[in-house]
């Protein structure tokens, strides 16, 4: 796990960018300077040593034939298998060397479908004069790029590009509209004008001679269909998930597990133990009196599995004090409260290990969110007029209706698939966007949804399954996985997600939807398989979702602070936001009719982020 940086045509040194990414790779750094077509090219790397701790794993790395240079971030879990057909002597056992030699032997198009892992890399083909940027199929590893005047630049984090001093000032209005729609900014957009985020499963090719670039997609949708019985699916899934966990134990440094109170991380820990590894477990919570706290549940799981357990308990004051630091670490505002406890969790884990496995990424393939239930209900009862009337009546009889139900009633009558999917996860509906931004624009959210829906054509997916697959390529990559990478790498900790193993997800997505979810049922085969490793009380615990009691805290100990951040008359966010709309939202949240924790938290993080930006 590392940080990568590079430029084409940039006349200055890369030292500031390398320094900006030092936290991603404190074990060393390297830089290579070349020239092609009269243009200076620089590739750089900061190293967190995980595989092959020797100098043989240092980067940037060149292929044996001298044609390919690579700077690479990630882990390719099947890289030792991929070495066998190459039949060449290797200098070491790093996956970087495997990747660069695969490129040398068969080129980039044939190499990418072979890789099972998480990665973001830049590969320079000196013969063709082209620079290729690549982001893994689920976007576990982020990659940013910019083409401004004569400079093309890329980096693992936006701060690496910004350190070059070539980023235009301001905030991208369209991206801001997308953030207010989805609670995150979908790739390729970012809030910084000029800086783009490469979408998951995509590559970008930059022609050094002409200065032209194009983005291309290398991932293909799952089209295979599992035809066995439910029992067959449970047996096959046990083998697939066990293989994924075993693959991701590959490491030359200590490994642990981030353990929540839920089934997913518990099953990862159980299967690691089944593979012969008693991994230490780490958990975070808020103490007694908070229903969101998972410490007791996580401790029970660790005890059942007989695994070492470490806990960290955080207070509202601690989380408030860390808020600005967390916002700076994740770089982009996100509407997900779990970023706050995650900050303390990774710090605790880093005291003992360098790599952790998590249960992240399992809700999307298995249908673990309520919005999939709503979409399934709509398919079973397609009554647009009836649902519209029911929504209107419910809103009037229940003015404090929870946000999740409010969104559900909004989506049920919507016939257009992309529009419905946008509404299903919308942070603010059109009426609120008008009050806050002065426009109802979704910032291109629907267009991005349609792009992924087009990708799914011919895949024979039911509507709920389409939503699950889109979430796995949008919500995961540009929200949950994005903050997971940034926060863990801020403390030089590598986070792995076995549930998003490429082979495993391909199998899960091949299962009939009825094997995964039904009305009031989620993760059907997943839970049946888990019962072979865990007590039923753990497998069927109610889902808590790693949330912070933001509603109670923002109306209590955080009230004055949140008010000041949102409504300060000199706050820079009022250059784009309507003050009256922010006031109205805050007052509604304080009254609790309804609770607007999701929306207020997103606005709060945006306000804090905006103050941290320079040259706006």
């Amino acid at each position: 796990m590392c940080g990568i940086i590079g430029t084409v045509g940039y006349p200055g040194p890369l030292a500031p960018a390398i320094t900006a990414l030092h936290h991603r790779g404190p074990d060393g750094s390297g830089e290579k300077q070349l020239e092609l077509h009269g243009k200076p090219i620089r590739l750089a790397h900061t190293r967190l040593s995980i595989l092959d701790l020797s100098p043989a794993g240092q980067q940037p790395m060149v292929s044996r034939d001298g044609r390919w240079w690579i700077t690479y971030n990630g882990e390719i879990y099947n890289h030792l298998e991929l070495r066998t057909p190459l039949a060449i002597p290797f200098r070491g056992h790093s996956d970087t060397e495997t990747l660069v030699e695969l490129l040398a032997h068969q080129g980039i198009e044939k190499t990418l479908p072979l890789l099972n892992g998480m990665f973001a890399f830049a590969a320079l083909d000196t013969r063709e004069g082209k620079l290729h940027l690549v982001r893994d199929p689920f976007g576990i590893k982020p990659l940013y790029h910019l083409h401004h005047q004569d400079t093309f630049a890329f980096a693992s984090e936006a701060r690496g590009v910004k350190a070059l001093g070539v980023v235009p000032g301001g905030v991208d209005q369209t991206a801001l509209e997308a953030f207010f729609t989805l609670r995150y900014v979908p790739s390729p957009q970012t809030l910084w004008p000029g800086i783009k985020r490469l979408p998951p499963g995509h590559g970008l090719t930059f022609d050094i001679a002409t200065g032209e670039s194009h983005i291309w997609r290398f991932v293909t949708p799952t089209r295979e269909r599992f035809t066995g019985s439910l029992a067959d699916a449970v047996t096959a899934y046990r083998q697939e998930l066990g293989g994924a966990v075993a693959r991701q134990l590959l490491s030359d440094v200590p490994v642990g597990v981030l353990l929540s109170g839920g089934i997913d991380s518990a099953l990862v820990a159980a299967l690691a133990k089944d593979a012969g590894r008693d991994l230490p477990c780490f958990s975070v919570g808020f103490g007694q009196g908070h229903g969101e706290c998972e410490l007791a549940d996580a401790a029970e799981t660790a005890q059942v599995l007989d695994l070492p357990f470490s806990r960290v308990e955080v207070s509202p004051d601690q989380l408030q004090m860390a808020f600005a630091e967390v916002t700076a670490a994740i770089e982009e505002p996100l509407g997900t409260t779990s970023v706050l406890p995650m900050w303390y969790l990774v710090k605790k884990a880093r005291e003992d290990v360098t790599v952790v496995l998590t249960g992240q990424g399992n809700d999307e393939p298995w249908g673990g969110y309520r919005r999939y239930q709503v979409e399934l209900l709509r398919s079973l009862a397609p009554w647009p007029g009836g649902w519209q009337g029911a929504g209107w009546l419910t809103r009037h009889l229940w003015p404090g209706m929870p946000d999740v139900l409010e969104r559900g009633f909004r989506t049920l009558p919507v016939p257009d698939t992309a529009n419905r999917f946008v509404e299903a996860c919308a942070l603010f509906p059109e009426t609120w966007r008008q009050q806050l931004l002065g426009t109802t624009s979704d910032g291109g959210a629907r267009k991005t949804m349609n792009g992924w829906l087009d990708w799914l054509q011919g895949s024979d997916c039911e509507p709920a399954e389409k939503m699950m697959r889109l979430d796995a390529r949008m919500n995961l990559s540009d929200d949950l996985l994005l903050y997971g990478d940034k926060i863990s790498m801020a403390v030089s900790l590598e986070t792995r997600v076995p549930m998003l193993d490429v082979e495993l997800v391909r199998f899960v997505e091949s299962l009939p939807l009825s094997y995964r979810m039904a009305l009031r049922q989620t993760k059907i085969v997943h839970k049946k398989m888990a019962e072979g490793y865990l007590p039923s009380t753990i497998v069927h615990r109610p889902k808590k979702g790693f949330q912070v009691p933001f509603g109670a805290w923002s109306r209590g100990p955080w009230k004055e602070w949140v008010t000041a951040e949102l409504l300060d008359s000199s706050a820079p966010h009022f250059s784009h936001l309507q003050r009256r709309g922010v006031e109205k939202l805050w007052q509604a949240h304080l009254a609790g009719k309804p609770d607007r924790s999701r929306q207020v938290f997103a606005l709060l993080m945006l306000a804090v982020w905006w103050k941290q930006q320079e040259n706006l």
Side-chain angles (χ1 to χ4, degrees), residues 576-595:
H576 284 65
L577 272 59
Q578 307 287 322
R579 182 181 181 87
R580 178 62 190 131
V582 177
E583 290 175 340
K584 183 178 179 181
L585 177 70
W586 179 229
Q587 292 303 318
H589 175 69
L590 290 177
K593 295 180 179 180
D595 180 273

Side-chain angles (χ1 to χ4, degrees), residues 509-546:
E509 290 186 338
S510 77
L511 294 174
L513 185 61
S514 61
Y515 284 17
R516 288 180 273 166
M517 61 170 289
L519 287 179
R520 303 185 68 181
Q521 290 182 282
T522 64
K523 305 181 181 180
I524 295 171
V525 164
H526 179 66
K527 291 179 179 178
K528 286 185 178 296
M529 192 276 277
E531 288 174 345
Y533 292 88
L534 299 163
S536 181
T537 52
I538 293 178
V539 173
H540 298 287
R541 275 177 187 153
K543 182 181 178 68
K544 292 184 178 178
F546 195 35

Side-chain angles (χ1 to χ4, degrees), residues 6 37 45 69 86 99 138 150 157 161 201 231 266 291 347 419 448 456 480 493 513:
H37 299 288
H45 186 263
W69 280 93
L86 298 179
L99 178 56
F138 295 102
D150 295 329
E157 296 182 7
V161 175
K347 284 187 173 184
N419 283 343
T448 304
L456 282 176
L480 306 180
L493 179 74
L513 185 61

Side-chain angles (χ1 to χ4, degrees), residues 217-267:
R217 181 185 281 145
F218 67 86
V219 288
T220 56
T222 303
R223 301 188 188 280
E224 302 86 357
R225 283 299 179 187
F226 183 83
T227 58
S229 67
L230 188 67
D232 293 335
V234 171
T235 300
Y237 179 55
R238 182 180 294 112
Q239 182 176 353
E240 293 287 346
L241 182 55
V245 172
R247 278 191 290 273
Q248 298 201 19
L249 291 170
L250 182 69
S251 175
D252 293 333
V253 294
V255 181
V257 175
L258 299 186
L259 188 67
S260 71
I263 177 181
D264 300 333
S265 58
L267 193 51

